Amino acid sequence: MSLACGVKGALTRAAWRTWAIVLFALATPALLQGENGGKHVLVFFGQWRTLPINLFVEQKLQAALDPTGSGEVEFYWESLDEDRLNEDDPLNEDLYFANVAEGLRKKYAGKQFDLIFATMPSTVRFLREYGPGVFGTTPVVFCIVNRAAFEWPQPDHFTGALTELHAGTNLQLMLRLHPGTRRILVVAGTSTVGRQWLAEAQREFHQVEPRVRVDVLRVDKISDLLTSVASLRPDTLVYFLLVTRTGDGKYVASRTVVASVSAAASVPVYVSDDRFVGSGGAGGYVIDNEASVATAVGMAAQLLAGVRISALPIRTIPNRWLFDARQLERWHIDRRNLSAGSDIRFRSPSMWKTHKTEIIGAVLLVLVETAFIVALVVERKRKSALQKRLTGQLEETRVLSARLITAHEEERRRLARELHDDVKQRVALIGLGLSQLRRSATMSEAQARVSELAQSANELALALGVLAKGLHPAALDHTSLDTALRGLCRESGANSRMTIGVVEPEPLCCDPPAPVKLGLFRIAQEALQNVAKHSDATAATVSLRCAGDQIVLTIRDNGRGFEMSTAGARSSGLGLLSMRERVCGLNGALEIETAPGSGTTVVASVPLKHEGLQAPPSAPVPARLHGG
């Protein structure tokens, strides 16, 4: 391919013939002769096969004509390399075409193609002039051919997709987006196609807006071109047509030139072809080469399927609005002023698209940390509440301990007083009586003295019995709980002048264990003492019943009641605390219902199955306290 770089108009006919034969000999693949009965398609590129647009054509053809890759359609690839033609010397160009045709005739001698697929104007021109002598009337489908470079009429076995320049529409777009524009600088190359596109653009510009100054910048050297566009006035825009050859005879790729011009230009660069959007061009109403290729490939598929070429006329592909988002942002072009349906490509990816994994990870981390913080706060509140509750319990325990010590000391003092003031005096009197008995003068006097001493001893025994009963209700050891409660009610009623009754809804299912009997008896005893001391009640009732595996003791009075929330603060005794501790020790529950003026109800529920008293737990007593 590099041999053609030095092709000039002065080459001899022998040099042209030698170059063409070498070119096609190097590109010759192993030719199949059609024994398998499949289709044979010759793909004829106007430029190098490795160009992006040609690779796109190749991909579309293979996907449409042989989608399964079964080999039913066999492709042959050729390239005319049109950019290296010396178009200023038609004689040598015709000589080049003639030698290419001779090389193809020898290369494909005896080969019958079912279809020829051609790209670029030079390939169509070559197949029109030399194709019948090489391939006969094999159907030809073309694409990427602009109407400005198209020659009419075409042979009957030609069809394809034509594109149009629409330079006038692009001029209207540029003036709408940049109202202050006074000059359009058109960049065009020196190739035949470049000159044809320039002539069409100048004609359309003059028809649309003749007042706008249109200057043509013919590219002699790329360095001069970049210098020219770097210092343009703000009222100037650049319209890039096509540059494949410069004035100094160098062959260049238009996409590369667009990228260089856009990077150097001081004003926006609009383009004519969709191949240049993404290479630096801002965009415009561009030639839709993708649609041109897709349409031509569809025609090729129909021809191979048996459709007659006369049923597939040449089609004109409309342009499309295509823009580069990066260039719009660079030149501060308002997207709202673009035409409806514009396709804006190369948008800057959003933060979500570029950092999706990091964002998800950060959100998850924040959620985990938030959950951890919430858990810590909840745990802190729970611990704070528990600490307050424990502090309250410790305070209650301290108060209870102090009260128990005080109660024990008071009980000891009471017992000491009883023993000193009563029992001791009675024992002393009995001792004194016994001493006087020895001095009795007569038998009758002695008998009288013995009778008095016996009476005193009986009274002493009775007093000691009362004292012992206060320490422990001996009746519980010999009678049932309900019988002991009746006796307690009689004694309490007699001492307080209050009517106290025992309510028995139904007989007890069994006599509870001794610890339960003692605990419930003490609770009833304490409750009745509280009623007598504080309630001003005239009547009270005590009931005992079984409820499943529980035994329930209820003491109810018609007294004045009290405010439950202030009961502990007002009382310095052990009433409520001792009842609560006794119920707790029996694994039971205590419920107190009271309100000022509504009397008081104390309900103690304990399990019937009990294997001994337990130490009070550190948790709150399972009691329900209801106050008005």
Side-chain angles (χ1 to χ4, degrees), residues 169-177 270 284-285 321 323 339:
T169 305
N170 276 305
L171 176 59
Q172 293 174 337
L173 168 71
M174 291 185 282
L175 295 178
R176 183 172 75 248
L177 297 181
Y270 289 86
Y285 192 53
W321 298 104
F323 298 91
S339 300

Side-chain angles (χ1 to χ4, degrees), residues 252-513:
V252 293
S254 293
R255 289 164 59 96
T256 303
V257 178
V258 169
S260 300
V261 169
S262 176
S266 59
V267 295
V269 177
Y270 289 86
V271 294
S272 60
D273 196 292
D274 63 357
R275 291 173 290 176
F276 309 148
V277 178
S279 298
Y285 192 53
V286 298
I287 295 171
D288 193 348
N289 287 300
E290 293 181 7
S292 173
V293 172
T295 301
V297 168
M299 290 180 172
Q302 289 180 284
L303 288 172
L304 291 184
V307 177
R308 298 177 63 85
I309 195 168
S310 58
L312 301 173
I314 297 173
R315 294 182 55 185
T316 300
I317 305 301
N319 288 22
R320 59 171 171 167
W321 298 104
L322 183 65
F323 298 91
D324 187 332
R326 298 166 298 185
Q327 298 300 320
L328 297 180
E329 183 177 356
R330 173 188 175 186
W331 301 110
H332 308 289
I333 299 173
D334 192 346
R335 299 181 184 184
R336 294 173 297 181
N337 294 331
L338 301 180
S339 300
S342 294
D343 183 5
I344 303 176
R345 297 187 179 182
F346 310 104
R347 300 175 187 265
S348 298
S350 64
M351 183 68 71
W352 171 255
K353 289 184 177 180
T354 55
H355 302 286
K356 180 178 181 179
T357 303
E358 291 83 354
I359 292 175
I360 293 176
V363 170
L364 290 178
L365 179 60
V366 170
L367 291 177
V368 170
E369 290 182 348
T370 302
F372 184 67
I373 293 173
V374 170
L376 289 178
V377 172
V378 172
E379 181 65 16
R380 183 175 181 180
K381 290 184 177 180
R382 188 188 69 82
K383 288 184 177 181
S384 178
L386 181 59
Q387 185 175 5
K388 290 181 180 179
R389 191 164 59 188
L390 290 175
T391 302
Q393 291 175 3
L394 289 174
E395 181 63 21
E396 288 184 3
T397 303
R398 186 188 63 80
V399 172
L400 178 60
S401 298
R403 291 182 180 179
L404 284 175
I405 292 173
T406 302
H408 290 162
E409 292 299 325
E410 290 180 353
E411 185 66 16
R412 289 188 181 98
R413 286 195 293 269
R414 187 184 68 81
L415 290 175
R417 286 196 303 270
E418 290 290 338
L419 292 175
H420 181 273
D421 297 342
D422 187 14
V423 176
K424 180 181 178 181
Q425 299 302 323
R426 291 187 182 188
V427 171
L429 288 176
I430 292 174
L432 181 61
L434 290 175
S435 298
Q436 292 177 354
L437 182 61
R438 291 180 297 179
R439 293 192 297 268
S440 299
T442 63
M443 181 60 69
S444 59
E445 184 180 354
Q447 289 177 348
R449 176 64 64 183
V450 169
S451 297
E452 290 177 3
L453 292 173
Q455 180 65 30
S456 296
N458 289 334
E459 291 176 357
L460 177 59
L462 184 60
L464 289 173
V466 172
L467 186 62
K469 187 176 181 180
L471 295 176
H472 177 73
L476 286 177
D477 297 335
H478 309 289
T479 61
S480 62
L481 177 59
D482 51 355
T483 301
L485 289 176
R486 288 192 194 93
L488 176 63
C489 290
R490 283 194 301 270
E491 292 179 7
S492 299
N495 295 333
S496 63
R497 299 178 182 178
M498 178 177 56
T499 303
I500 302 177
V502 178
V503 180
E504 297 182 15
E506 57 185 16
L508 293 178
C509 55
C510 64
D511 194 38

Side-chain angles (χ1 to χ4, degrees), residues 155-311:
D156 293 339
H157 61 283
F158 276 52
T159 189
L162 282 177
T163 60
E164 294 182 319
L165 193 59
H166 287 290
T169 305
N170 276 305
L171 176 59
Q172 293 174 337
L173 168 71
M174 291 185 282
L175 295 178
R176 183 172 75 248
L177 297 181
H178 309 275
T181 301
R182 296 292 179 267
R183 178 188 179 212
I184 302 294
L185 183 62
V186 181
V187 177
T190 59
S191 65
T192 300
V193 176
R195 291 195 297 266
Q196 292 170 336
W197 283 27
L198 177 59
E200 177 65 18
Q202 289 176 317
R203 184 185 63 80
E204 292 188 29
F205 281 169
H206 183 72
Q207 291 177 349
V208 171
E209 186 55 64
R211 292 171 297 177
V212 175
R213 176 184 170 186
V214 178
D215 293 332
V216 178
L217 183 59
R218 296 185 181 276
V219 182
D220 293 326
K221 293 183 179 181
I222 297 298
S223 58
D224 295 341
L225 169 63
L226 300 182
T227 301
S228 299
V229 300
S231 57
L232 296 175
R233 293 168 52 88
D235 62 353
T236 303
L237 295 175
V238 174
Y239 184 54
F240 187 93
L241 283 175
L242 183 72
V243 178
T244 58
R245 193 183 70 178
T246 59
D248 57 0
K250 293 184 178 180
Y251 300 92
V252 293
S254 293
R255 289 164 59 96
T256 303
V257 178
V258 169
S260 300
V261 169
S262 176
S266 59
V267 295
V269 177
Y270 289 86
V271 294
S272 60
D273 196 292
D274 63 357
R275 291 173 290 176
F276 309 148
V277 178
S279 298
Y285 192 53
V286 298
I287 295 171
D288 193 348
N289 287 300
E290 293 181 7
S292 173
V293 172
T295 301
V297 168
M299 290 180 172
Q302 289 180 284
L303 288 172
L304 291 184
V307 177
R308 298 177 63 85
I309 195 168
S310 58

